[in-house]
Amino acid sequence: MGTRMTIEEIVGSLESGMTIGIGGWGSRRKPMALVRAVYRSALTDLTIVSYGGPDVGLLCAAGKVRKVVAPFVTLDSIALEPHFRAARQRGTVEFTEYDEGMFMFGLLAAAHRLPFLPTRAGLGSDVMRVNPGLRTVRSPYDDGEELIAVPALTMDVALVHVDVADTRGNGRYLGPDPYLDDLFAKAAGRCFVSCERMVEPGELGGPPQTLLVSRMHVTGVVETPGGGHFTDCHSTHGGQGRDEMFQLHYAASAADPQAWAAFADRFLSGDEAAYRETVRQWREEGR
């Protein structure tokens, strides 16, 4: 059962060298408040498992990442995350790239504590060429079909973000897509949930199919209003989804070392309350 925690307590429980799974999808419903806290921390040598977006890029920019396991790293409306691209071009970050379906099967295998799961996804593609360590298995039944054996994506910790959670760690999403956050929670040794709004047990409301994360799989939960910013989260940015103008500012700043230093100094040098206030001021200034 989840325990109510602070951002600092959650990140303080992490260790360098860990494999950390991050929920969401591209630039959508990412636990950015927790990611920003990892950015500010002394953690390093991390392996990040993610349907990657600015979570991966920001941690690459901070030099926190040794390896990324992902099917993509994108800002959605901007095709390739700029900090991740720069890290790959410099050769400073290892990358294991899977097909999106293969990645899901890796999460499923880890969630069920299996060493691998077989799938057709990726057969006949360059996935096998760029991942020479992948193996195939043959069906033991009459069909004898050859399948890719996707290894379990085991993780020490998962970080996920939801719209509403209760103080026990049950999490509900309000947007149109659950993504794979429930699998991240089940696949990791520990899971920490951030939420836009926290309620008492029994007050989550809504239809049961929107209850995405169970307290059974949650170690800690923290209320972080605006914690998904700038990614697309139903409850953030006045209910308008992704803050596209701020994302453009982030991406433009990433293209120039001096501009990025100024961005980081302005938006990322303080705690989460300071981040929210600085973003508010940026909007009032007309960007």
Side-chain angles (χ1 to χ4, degrees):
M1 181 184 297
T3 301
R4 191 167 185 171
M5 300 176 71
T6 66
I7 292 174
E8 291 73 23
E9 286 171 337
I10 290 172
V11 175
S13 75
L14 308 182
E15 298 176 7
S16 293
M18 277 186 163
T19 296
I20 299 177
I22 303 178
W25 180 284
S27 190
R28 307 178 215 180
R29 212 178 67 231
K30 288 290 182 176
M32 294 304 293
L34 294 175
V35 171
R36 285 187 283 268
V38 174
Y39 175 98
R40 297 190 300 268
S41 76
L43 294 168
T44 188
D45 196 37
L46 301 175
T47 295
I48 304 299
V49 178
S50 175
Y51 285 97
D55 52 329
V56 174
L58 199 59
L59 298 181
C60 285
K64 304 294 183 185
V65 181
R66 178 181 65 83
K67 181 179 180 180
V68 174
V69 183
F72 51 72
V73 184
T74 180
L75 298 178
D76 293 315
S77 56
I78 298 171
L80 189 59
E81 211 293 334
H83 287 302
F84 173 72
R85 177 179 61 191
R88 286 294 294 151
Q89 288 173 339
R90 292 193 303 267
T92 55
V93 174
E94 297 178 38
F95 185 36
T96 297
E97 183 178 11
Y98 288 155
D99 165 273
E100 292 172 19
M102 294 174 67
F103 192 88
M104 181 189 72
F105 271 80
L107 292 175
L108 276 168
H112 290 283
R113 304 301 187 260
L114 296 170
F116 70 91
L117 276 175
T119 179
R120 296 184 181 95
L123 283 170
S125 76
D126 276 349
V127 167
M128 298 297 289
R129 180 183 60 81
V130 299
N131 294 289
L134 280 176
R135 298 290 181 263
T136 60
V137 292
R138 194 166 294 281
S139 169
Y141 299 104
D142 292 343
D143 60 280
E145 183 177 1
E146 187 177 36
L147 302 163
I148 295 179
V150 182
L153 289 175
T154 54
M155 297 165 281
D156 298 302
V157 170
L159 308 176
V160 303
H161 187 68
V162 295
D163 294 279
V164 188
D166 67 22
T167 54
R168 294 178 177 175
N170 296 299
R172 180 177 174 227
Y173 72 102
L174 302 179
D177 198 328
Y179 310 121
L180 284 298
D181 289 4
D182 55 331
L183 293 184
F184 277 96
K186 294 172 184 176
R190 291 183 290 153
C191 176
F192 296 103
V193 173
S194 61
C195 63
E196 299 285 330
R197 181 168 61 92
M198 189 176 293
V199 298
E200 292 300 317
E203 296 180 2
L204 279 172
Q209 62 265 33
T210 65
L211 298 177
L212 181 62
V213 179
S214 168
R215 69 182 188 274
M216 292 174 58
H217 305 112
V218 174
T219 301
V221 59
V222 58
E223 186 175 49
T224 59
H229 186 269
F230 52 91
T231 66
D232 185 351
C233 180
H234 183 85
S235 299
T236 61
H237 193 216
Q240 299 175 42
R242 182 165 49 242
D243 190 340
E244 293 286 359
M245 290 302 297
F246 192 86
Q247 177 166 280
L248 285 170
H249 182 43
Y250 165 87
S253 300
D256 176 76
Q258 287 187 322
W260 177 250
F263 180 99
D265 182 65
R266 181 175 187 183
F267 295 104
L268 302 174
S269 58
D271 62 11
E272 189 61 18
Y275 173 82
R276 291 199 299 268
E277 174 61 19
T278 307
V279 170
R280 184 192 66 78
Q281 293 173 1
W282 176 80
R283 287 202 190 102
E284 287 186 353
E285 293 167 4
R287 304 174 174 91

